[in-house]
Amino acid sequence: MSKAIFITGGEVIHPTSTEHADVIVRDGVIEAVGRGLSAPDDAILVDARGCWVGPGLVDLHTHLREPGREAAETIVSGSQAAALGGYSAVVAMPNTEPALDGIMSVSYVITKSAAAVVDVAIAGAITVNRAGHDLAPMAELAAAGIRIFTDDGNGVQNAAVMRRAMDYARTLGVTLAQHCEDEHLAEGGVMNEGEVSARLGLLGRPAVSEDIMVERDIALSRLTGCPVHFLHISTAASLRAIAAAKVEGLLVTCEVAPHHFTLDETSLENYGTQFKVHPPLRTRGDREAVRAALVTGVIDAVATDHAPHADELKELSFDEAPAGMLGLEHAASLTNEALGIGENPLAFFALLSRAPARIAQLRATDVRPLTSAHGGDVVTGEDANLVIFDPRQNYVVDRNALASRSRNTPYDGRSLTGRARATIVRGRLVVNNGELQ
Amino acid sequence: MNDSMRGRNLLGIEELSATGIVEILDTAESFVEINTRSIKKVPTLKGRVVASLFFEESTRTRLSFETAAKRLSADVISLAVASSSVKKGESLKDTVATIESIGIDALVMRHQASGAAVQVSNYVPNVRVINAGDGQHQHPTQGLLDVFTVRQILAARAGTSGRDSAAELFAGLKVLIVGDIRHSRVARSDMLAFGALGATIKVCAPGTLLPSDMSAWPVEVVTNYDEALQWADVVACLRLQRERGTGAYVPSLEEFTRTHGLTVERYRRLDPRTIILHPGPMNRGVEIDSQVADMTNAFMTTQVRNGVPVRMATLYLALSEEDSKEKHE
């Protein structure tokens, strides 16, 4: 039984309102929320003055690399990075080695996740070994608690395979998540195709390689009635297609990654491999379109696509270096900045906690064999997964001072605003004063 | 953009202003004479160490650079990475750190990946890096020797010297670049070098062999090759890599030759003063007919010959002190 926590002087962020109130956490749940509460005798005090007190953040898109690439990240180190970033839960992507495409590898991750400092939900693979041919045992995995399936790293290239996956998944109550890039169009490409790639002599991954697959899967969702979640959307045209699908009433959701509303292809001028990512950093126009759509309802969630890679791989030539960048420790700051520093707490928690928890089926009303409840309201009786976020704290990113085992952040040296002061997972204070406990 | 490459790297032509390019051309001209002596050597870089690091094999460029360094009396360390134990997948940083530890002043580098020279220059800030070709990005000394060759020819025709003419002979000069622009580092360096000096540039290629976006360069894309040939003062042909000509980018080599090859029939319609360039190695019978390649206004051997003084100039300038004037600024 853990000690009580008394969170005092903060601004509690409800789904549609905010309230100055203290919060008492005890035995894994929120015991009380109100003004002028008195601190329990045994409580750890968390000074929340100037901070938002909201549901712990939920990342729909984390590559924990375990099993298979433990030199880059482990479940524990990734969970520590998550906690520092304000997350109380992450969804672990299945492109591990071996892939999370069966009960054996999934059970391994479930077991290992017991040592994680945040809740780990798992995304299973849609196809065996993420090869895009044969369906993975989604019913068996759904029974084991998996609610979201994806071949992320790659999209399911064959439309007939994707259609069958949707037909199969629809009756299981799970969501299919797609990495939208047509690999024929993107083949060999290492950055966005356009003026910059032409000048740098780098092969491009054209925006249409994403747009075409988004359009295709919207059509397949219409045909099958299966919900589809679009991962890391990066183009203005994809957002238009998704907006139209939502108006039509189709069961589509989407996430964007902070780098797609923060950075663009001009970051690659110096061939810095820390900016290599799939889908690639796009044009300035795409970046602005993604940023603008954060508050229009087209974008449901901000997700990190946290993709650790060891230094020695990122020191290869640009063509050979692997794609992907870290995200967990800075996504909340970047989202806070994009929404206007400290200006939009409702959107902040909608994008980073409430919508992702809904999409990953991690809320109190969902059946959750693997995790406690996330993304709920800060009210008495809810599971105590909380973040105390200071939207005005400034800090400078230092790639040598990260919790992640890898250092491939594109934000090294950048000054950011907004940081988790404390993170509470299942009623336990895992981060306090910005440090792991 | 820099008005001088003294004390600087040479990674791409865009780093240089017209003044900076002219400085290299003028310096190269002063080295031409050395190459005609019986003892082809000056002590300019005595005691300096130049490493040549070729991750991708290239006998001609490598020979040219190493000859240039030796004529300046530099010590040359030569590592053919392509055939050494260093394999694809070794960290660029590690490879270059090893070479740097030996103690070198300049690094001449060829790599199959675009940007490799830029990346390496960040790892070894105290070594001057000369890009000898990086992927599909640039081949700056080829661009420089191409403009050097054209200036030399035009100056001789005008009865003046290249040095006296500076960049004047490029004003209004019509340059046509034809062939596989998309995959060509030579084309990227040529477009920038001729463009910086004031030439008017047109490019012509099958749609699949054009970069997806041409807005980075001061060029006009034309579709009528025969008309463009009549227009041009200089025709720069590019090598079609054979694997690009087997169905993926063009239906066949024969079709490419029909639409964009410099055939004998097309040659016969050219103004006899038209300057024909090719960076080599040539695919005779594909982008250029064998007979055309041997005509007197095809300057391929001149280009190769000029490679040495131009590369001497880049090594000499890179290893010179920066202008004292700039230092005080």
Side-chain angles (χ1 to χ4, degrees), chain B residues 99-127:
Chain B
I99 309 259
E100 190 197 17
S101 308
I102 294 167
I104 61 171
D105 299 293
L107 179 63
V108 174
M109 188 175 135
R110 159 75 57 97
H111 199 285
Q112 61 277 10
S114 299
V118 177
Q119 287 176 279
V120 162
S121 71
N122 293 327
Y123 296 139
V124 289
N126 298 316
V127 174

PDB file of all heavy atoms in Angstrom, chain B residues 99-127:
ATOM      1  N   ILE B  99      41.294   7.702 -39.839  1.00  0.00           N
ATOM      2  CA  ILE B  99      42.170   8.391 -40.795  1.00  0.00           C
ATOM      3  C   ILE B  99      42.689   9.692 -40.182  1.00  0.00           C
ATOM      4  O   ILE B  99      43.859  10.034 -40.317  1.00  0.00           O
ATOM      5  CB  ILE B  99      41.390   8.727 -42.080  1.00  0.00           C
ATOM      6  CG1 ILE B  99      40.686   7.483 -42.594  1.00  0.00           C
ATOM      7  CG2 ILE B  99      42.314   9.367 -43.106  1.00  0.00           C
ATOM      8  CD1 ILE B  99      41.342   6.794 -43.713  1.00  0.00           C
ATOM      9  N   GLU B 100      41.806  10.392 -39.494  1.00  0.00           N
ATOM     10  CA  GLU B 100      42.204  11.678 -38.932  1.00  0.00           C
ATOM     11  C   GLU B 100      43.310  11.496 -37.899  1.00  0.00           C
ATOM     12  O   GLU B 100      44.233  12.308 -37.806  1.00  0.00           O
ATOM     13  CB  GLU B 100      41.000  12.389 -38.292  1.00  0.00           C
ATOM     14  CG  GLU B 100      41.306  13.827 -37.913  1.00  0.00           C
ATOM     15  CD  GLU B 100      40.311  14.408 -36.926  1.00  0.00           C
ATOM     16  OE1 GLU B 100      39.580  13.636 -36.297  1.00  0.00           O
ATOM     17  OE2 GLU B 100      40.294  15.638 -36.789  1.00  0.00           O
ATOM     18  N   SER B 101      43.207  10.409 -37.119  1.00  0.00           N
ATOM     19  CA  SER B 101      44.189  10.175 -36.061  1.00  0.00           C
ATOM     20  C   SER B 101      45.592  10.031 -36.618  1.00  0.00           C
ATOM     21  O   SER B 101      46.572  10.307 -35.939  1.00  0.00           O
ATOM     22  CB  SER B 101      43.827   8.906 -35.283  1.00  0.00           C
ATOM     23  OG  SER B 101      42.499   8.979 -34.860  1.00  0.00           O
ATOM     24  N   ILE B 102      45.704   9.585 -37.857  1.00  0.00           N
ATOM     25  CA  ILE B 102      47.021   9.440 -38.475  1.00  0.00           C
ATOM     26  C   ILE B 102      47.662  10.815 -38.654  1.00  0.00           C
ATOM     27  O   ILE B 102      48.885  10.938 -38.638  1.00  0.00           O
ATOM     28  CB  ILE B 102      46.877   8.706 -39.834  1.00  0.00           C
ATOM     29  CG1 ILE B 102      46.405   7.267 -39.580  1.00  0.00           C
ATOM     30  CG2 ILE B 102      48.169   8.740 -40.626  1.00  0.00           C
ATOM     31  CD1 ILE B 102      45.938   6.542 -40.799  1.00  0.00           C
ATOM     32  N   GLY B 103      46.827  11.835 -38.784  1.00  0.00           N
ATOM     33  CA  GLY B 103      47.351  13.185 -38.940  1.00  0.00           C
ATOM     34  C   GLY B 103      47.294  13.623 -40.386  1.00  0.00           C
ATOM     35  O   GLY B 103      48.216  13.368 -41.158  1.00  0.00           O
ATOM     36  N   ILE B 104      46.191  14.217 -40.789  1.00  0.00           N
ATOM     37  CA  ILE B 104      46.048  14.637 -42.180  1.00  0.00           C
ATOM     38  C   ILE B 104      45.569  16.086 -42.227  1.00  0.00           C
ATOM     39  O   ILE B 104      45.005  16.597 -41.262  1.00  0.00           O
ATOM     40  CB  ILE B 104      45.042  13.740 -42.956  1.00  0.00           C
ATOM     41  CG1 ILE B 104      43.649  13.812 -42.315  1.00  0.00           C
ATOM     42  CG2 ILE B 104      45.537  12.306 -43.003  1.00  0.00           C
ATOM     43  CD1 ILE B 104      42.576  13.142 -43.141  1.00  0.00           C
ATOM     44  N   ASP B 105      45.838  16.727 -43.354  1.00  0.00           N
ATOM     45  CA  ASP B 105      45.413  18.120 -43.532  1.00  0.00           C
ATOM     46  C   ASP B 105      44.167  18.221 -44.397  1.00  0.00           C
ATOM     47  O   ASP B 105      43.321  19.084 -44.187  1.00  0.00           O
ATOM     48  CB  ASP B 105      46.556  18.922 -44.173  1.00  0.00           C
ATOM     49  CG  ASP B 105      47.789  18.932 -43.284  1.00  0.00           C
ATOM     50  OD1 ASP B 105      47.717  19.540 -42.205  1.00  0.00           O
ATOM     51  OD2 ASP B 105      48.808  18.311 -43.654  1.00  0.00           O
ATOM     52  N   ALA B 106      44.099  17.350 -45.398  1.00  0.00           N
ATOM     53  CA  ALA B 106      42.943  17.390 -46.297  1.00  0.00           C
ATOM     54  C   ALA B 106      42.462  15.982 -46.580  1.00  0.00           C
ATOM     55  O   ALA B 106      43.245  15.025 -46.545  1.00  0.00           O
ATOM     56  CB  ALA B 106      43.299  18.087 -47.606  1.00  0.00           C
ATOM     57  N   LEU B 107      41.166  15.890 -46.843  1.00  0.00           N
ATOM     58  CA  LEU B 107      40.545  14.598 -47.115  1.00  0.00           C
ATOM     59  C   LEU B 107      39.758  14.722 -48.417  1.00  0.00           C
ATOM     60  O   LEU B 107      38.854  15.549 -48.529  1.00  0.00           O
ATOM     61  CB  LEU B 107      39.599  14.247 -45.958  1.00  0.00           C
ATOM     62  CG  LEU B 107      38.813  12.947 -46.047  1.00  0.00           C
ATOM     63  CD1 LEU B 107      39.755  11.754 -46.070  1.00  0.00           C
ATOM     64  CD2 LEU B 107      37.868  12.830 -44.861  1.00  0.00           C
ATOM     65  N   VAL B 108      40.150  13.917 -49.401  1.00  0.00           N
ATOM     66  CA  VAL B 108      39.411  13.869 -50.660  1.00  0.00           C
ATOM     67  C   VAL B 108      38.523  12.647 -50.588  1.00  0.00           C
ATOM     68  O   VAL B 108      39.009  11.537 -50.376  1.00  0.00           O
ATOM     69  CB  VAL B 108      40.374  13.752 -51.863  1.00  0.00           C
ATOM     70  CG1 VAL B 108      39.586  13.566 -53.147  1.00  0.00           C
ATOM     71  CG2 VAL B 108      41.274  14.980 -51.938  1.00  0.00           C
ATOM     72  N   MET B 109      37.219  12.852 -50.708  1.00  0.00           N
ATOM     73  CA  MET B 109      36.314  11.761 -50.397  1.00  0.00           C
ATOM     74  C   MET B 109      35.258  11.509 -51.466  1.00  0.00           C
ATOM     75  O   MET B 109      34.603  12.420 -51.950  1.00  0.00           O
ATOM     76  CB  MET B 109      35.621  12.096 -49.080  1.00  0.00           C
ATOM     77  CG  MET B 109      34.814  10.938 -48.589  1.00  0.00           C
ATOM     78  SD  MET B 109      34.150  11.323 -46.988  1.00  0.00           S
ATOM     79  CE  MET B 109      32.494  10.746 -47.286  1.00  0.00           C
ATOM     80  N   ARG B 110      35.094  10.238 -51.815  1.00  0.00           N
ATOM     81  CA  ARG B 110      34.036   9.797 -52.727  1.00  0.00           C
ATOM     82  C   ARG B 110      33.181   8.798 -51.960  1.00  0.00           C
ATOM     83  O   ARG B 110      33.711   7.927 -51.268  1.00  0.00           O
ATOM     84  CB  ARG B 110      34.690   9.144 -53.952  1.00  0.00           C
ATOM     85  CG  ARG B 110      33.828   8.190 -54.763  1.00  0.00           C
ATOM     86  CD  ARG B 110      32.789   8.829 -55.648  1.00  0.00           C
ATOM     87  NE  ARG B 110      33.266   9.767 -56.621  1.00  0.00           N
ATOM     88  CZ  ARG B 110      33.525   9.489 -57.904  1.00  0.00           C
ATOM     89  NH1 ARG B 110      33.370   8.265 -58.360  1.00  0.00           N
ATOM     90  NH2 ARG B 110      33.915  10.427 -58.734  1.00  0.00           N
ATOM     91  N   HIS B 111      31.856   8.946 -52.053  1.00  0.00           N
ATOM     92  CA  HIS B 111      30.966   8.010 -51.343  1.00  0.00           C
ATOM     93  C   HIS B 111      29.700   7.813 -52.170  1.00  0.00           C
ATOM     94  O   HIS B 111      29.259   8.729 -52.864  1.00  0.00           O
ATOM     95  CB  HIS B 111      30.611   8.581 -49.962  1.00  0.00           C
ATOM     96  CG  HIS B 111      30.099   7.558 -48.985  1.00  0.00           C
ATOM     97  ND1 HIS B 111      28.828   7.031 -49.069  1.00  0.00           N
ATOM     98  CD2 HIS B 111      30.674   6.966 -47.904  1.00  0.00           C
ATOM     99  CE1 HIS B 111      28.653   6.160 -48.078  1.00  0.00           C
ATOM    100  NE2 HIS B 111      29.757   6.104 -47.359  1.00  0.00           N
ATOM    101  N   GLN B 112      29.130   6.635 -52.050  1.00  0.00           N
ATOM    102  CA  GLN B 112      27.929   6.324 -52.844  1.00  0.00           C
ATOM    103  C   GLN B 112      26.667   6.973 -52.285  1.00  0.00           C
ATOM    104  O   GLN B 112      25.637   6.996 -52.949  1.00  0.00           O
ATOM    105  CB  GLN B 112      27.734   4.802 -52.964  1.00  0.00           C
ATOM    106  CG  GLN B 112      27.544   4.043 -51.657  1.00  0.00           C
ATOM    107  CD  GLN B 112      28.859   3.696 -50.963  1.00  0.00           C
ATOM    108  OE1 GLN B 112      29.928   4.170 -51.335  1.00  0.00           O
ATOM    109  NE2 GLN B 112      28.776   2.856 -49.930  1.00  0.00           N
ATOM    110  N   ALA B 113      26.753   7.505 -51.056  1.00  0.00           N
ATOM    111  CA  ALA B 113      25.560   8.116 -50.443  1.00  0.00           C
ATOM    112  C   ALA B 113      25.641   9.636 -50.528  1.00  0.00           C
ATOM    113  O   ALA B 113      26.666  10.233 -50.191  1.00  0.00           O
ATOM    114  CB  ALA B 113      25.439   7.691 -48.981  1.00  0.00           C
ATOM    115  N   SER B 114      24.563  10.262 -50.958  1.00  0.00           N
ATOM    116  CA  SER B 114      24.488  11.718 -50.987  1.00  0.00           C
ATOM    117  C   SER B 114      24.706  12.265 -49.578  1.00  0.00           C
ATOM    118  O   SER B 114      24.178  11.721 -48.614  1.00  0.00           O
ATOM    119  CB  SER B 114      23.123  12.178 -51.490  1.00  0.00           C
ATOM    120  OG  SER B 114      22.895  11.711 -52.800  1.00  0.00           O
ATOM    121  N   GLY B 115      25.487  13.344 -49.478  1.00  0.00           N
ATOM    122  CA  GLY B 115      25.655  14.007 -48.187  1.00  0.00           C
ATOM    123  C   GLY B 115      26.788  13.458 -47.341  1.00  0.00           C
ATOM    124  O   GLY B 115      27.096  14.024 -46.290  1.00  0.00           O
ATOM    125  N   ALA B 116      27.419  12.365 -47.780  1.00  0.00           N
ATOM    126  CA  ALA B 116      28.450  11.750 -46.933  1.00  0.00           C
ATOM    127  C   ALA B 116      29.593  12.730 -46.662  1.00  0.00           C
ATOM    128  O   ALA B 116      30.118  12.780 -45.543  1.00  0.00           O
ATOM    129  CB  ALA B 116      28.972  10.474 -47.584  1.00  0.00           C
ATOM    130  N   ALA B 117      29.977  13.523 -47.656  1.00  0.00           N
ATOM    131  CA  ALA B 117      31.078  14.473 -47.449  1.00  0.00           C
ATOM    132  C   ALA B 117      30.677  15.559 -46.447  1.00  0.00           C
ATOM    133  O   ALA B 117      31.484  15.996 -45.630  1.00  0.00           O
ATOM    134  CB  ALA B 117      31.498  15.096 -48.773  1.00  0.00           C
ATOM    135  N   VAL B 118      29.422  15.973 -46.503  1.00  0.00           N
ATOM    136  CA  VAL B 118      28.926  16.974 -45.544  1.00  0.00           C
ATOM    137  C   VAL B 118      28.967  16.386 -44.135  1.00  0.00           C
ATOM    138  O   VAL B 118      29.440  17.024 -43.190  1.00  0.00           O
ATOM    139  CB  VAL B 118      27.483  17.405 -45.901  1.00  0.00           C
ATOM    140  CG1 VAL B 118      26.952  18.376 -44.855  1.00  0.00           C
ATOM    141  CG2 VAL B 118      27.439  18.026 -47.288  1.00  0.00           C
ATOM    142  N   GLN B 119      28.473  15.160 -43.993  1.00  0.00           N
ATOM    143  CA  GLN B 119      28.476  14.511 -42.673  1.00  0.00           C
ATOM    144  C   GLN B 119      29.896  14.412 -42.125  1.00  0.00           C
ATOM    145  O   GLN B 119      30.157  14.748 -40.969  1.00  0.00           O
ATOM    146  CB  GLN B 119      27.870  13.100 -42.783  1.00  0.00           C
ATOM    147  CG  GLN B 119      26.366  13.081 -42.985  1.00  0.00           C
ATOM    148  CD  GLN B 119      25.862  11.651 -43.190  1.00  0.00           C
ATOM    149  OE1 GLN B 119      25.942  11.092 -44.268  1.00  0.00           O
ATOM    150  NE2 GLN B 119      25.358  11.040 -42.126  1.00  0.00           N
ATOM    151  N   VAL B 120      30.820  13.947 -42.979  1.00  0.00           N
ATOM    152  CA  VAL B 120      32.202  13.761 -42.541  1.00  0.00           C
ATOM    153  C   VAL B 120      32.830  15.097 -42.159  1.00  0.00           C
ATOM    154  O   VAL B 120      33.573  15.189 -41.179  1.00  0.00           O
ATOM    155  CB  VAL B 120      33.004  13.043 -43.644  1.00  0.00           C
ATOM    156  CG1 VAL B 120      34.494  13.223 -43.438  1.00  0.00           C
ATOM    157  CG2 VAL B 120      32.649  11.559 -43.642  1.00  0.00           C
ATOM    158  N   SER B 121      32.523  16.140 -42.895  1.00  0.00           N
ATOM    159  CA  SER B 121      33.114  17.453 -42.588  1.00  0.00           C
ATOM    160  C   SER B 121      32.702  17.903 -41.183  1.00  0.00           C
ATOM    161  O   SER B 121      33.441  18.616 -40.515  1.00  0.00           O
ATOM    162  CB  SER B 121      32.708  18.489 -43.631  1.00  0.00           C
ATOM    163  OG  SER B 121      31.339  18.822 -43.503  1.00  0.00           O
ATOM    164  N   ASN B 122      31.525  17.462 -40.730  1.00  0.00           N
ATOM    165  CA  ASN B 122      31.106  17.799 -39.370  1.00  0.00           C
ATOM    166  C   ASN B 122      31.874  16.993 -38.317  1.00  0.00           C
ATOM    167  O   ASN B 122      32.047  17.447 -37.190  1.00  0.00           O
ATOM    168  CB  ASN B 122      29.602  17.549 -39.188  1.00  0.00           C
ATOM    169  CG  ASN B 122      28.766  18.513 -40.017  1.00  0.00           C
ATOM    170  OD1 ASN B 122      29.158  19.659 -40.214  1.00  0.00           O
ATOM    171  ND2 ASN B 122      27.626  18.050 -40.510  1.00  0.00           N
ATOM    172  N   TYR B 123      32.324  15.793 -38.708  1.00  0.00           N
ATOM    173  CA  TYR B 123      33.062  14.958 -37.759  1.00  0.00           C
ATOM    174  C   TYR B 123      34.519  15.411 -37.614  1.00  0.00           C
ATOM    175  O   TYR B 123      35.140  15.164 -36.584  1.00  0.00           O
ATOM    176  CB  TYR B 123      33.038  13.483 -38.191  1.00  0.00           C
ATOM    177  CG  TYR B 123      31.671  12.841 -38.205  1.00  0.00           C
ATOM    178  CD1 TYR B 123      31.286  11.983 -39.232  1.00  0.00           C
ATOM    179  CD2 TYR B 123      30.754  13.072 -37.171  1.00  0.00           C
ATOM    180  CE1 TYR B 123      30.039  11.382 -39.245  1.00  0.00           C
ATOM    181  CE2 TYR B 123      29.510  12.468 -37.179  1.00  0.00           C
ATOM    182  CZ  TYR B 123      29.149  11.625 -38.224  1.00  0.00           C
ATOM    183  OH  TYR B 123      27.923  11.022 -38.239  1.00  0.00           O
ATOM    184  N   VAL B 124      35.104  15.978 -38.673  1.00  0.00           N
ATOM    185  CA  VAL B 124      36.526  16.368 -38.626  1.00  0.00           C
ATOM    186  C   VAL B 124      36.695  17.847 -38.973  1.00  0.00           C
ATOM    187  O   VAL B 124      37.186  18.201 -40.041  1.00  0.00           O
ATOM    188  CB  VAL B 124      37.394  15.476 -39.560  1.00  0.00           C
ATOM    189  CG1 VAL B 124      37.521  14.080 -38.984  1.00  0.00           C
ATOM    190  CG2 VAL B 124      36.817  15.404 -40.967  1.00  0.00           C
ATOM    191  N   PRO B 125      36.296  18.727 -38.052  1.00  0.00           N
ATOM    192  CA  PRO B 125      36.283  20.155 -38.359  1.00  0.00           C
ATOM    193  C   PRO B 125      37.661  20.743 -38.654  1.00  0.00           C
ATOM    194  O   PRO B 125      37.751  21.796 -39.275  1.00  0.00           O
ATOM    195  CB  PRO B 125      35.677  20.789 -37.095  1.00  0.00           C
ATOM    196  CG  PRO B 125      35.817  19.760 -36.026  1.00  0.00           C
ATOM    197  CD  PRO B 125      35.793  18.437 -36.705  1.00  0.00           C
ATOM    198  N   ASN B 126      38.741  20.054 -38.245  1.00  0.00           N
ATOM    199  CA  ASN B 126      40.077  20.611 -38.482  1.00  0.00           C
ATOM    200  C   ASN B 126      40.723  20.106 -39.764  1.00  0.00           C
ATOM    201  O   ASN B 126      41.855  20.444 -40.074  1.00  0.00           O
ATOM    202  CB  ASN B 126      40.987  20.303 -37.290  1.00  0.00           C
ATOM    203  CG  ASN B 126      40.442  20.953 -36.023  1.00  0.00           C
ATOM    204  OD1 ASN B 126      40.021  22.107 -36.051  1.00  0.00           O
ATOM    205  ND2 ASN B 126      40.416  20.193 -34.935  1.00  0.00           N
ATOM    206  N   VAL B 127      39.991  19.265 -40.490  1.00  0.00           N
ATOM    207  CA  VAL B 127      40.504  18.743 -41.756  1.00  0.00           C
ATOM    208  C   VAL B 127      39.691  19.368 -42.884  1.00  0.00           C
ATOM    209  O   VAL B 127      38.472  19.496 -42.771  1.00  0.00           O
ATOM    210  CB  VAL B 127      40.370  17.200 -41.785  1.00  0.00           C
ATOM    211  CG1 VAL B 127      40.750  16.654 -43.152  1.00  0.00           C
ATOM    212  CG2 VAL B 127      41.214  16.571 -40.692  1.00  0.00           C
TER     213      VAL B 127
END
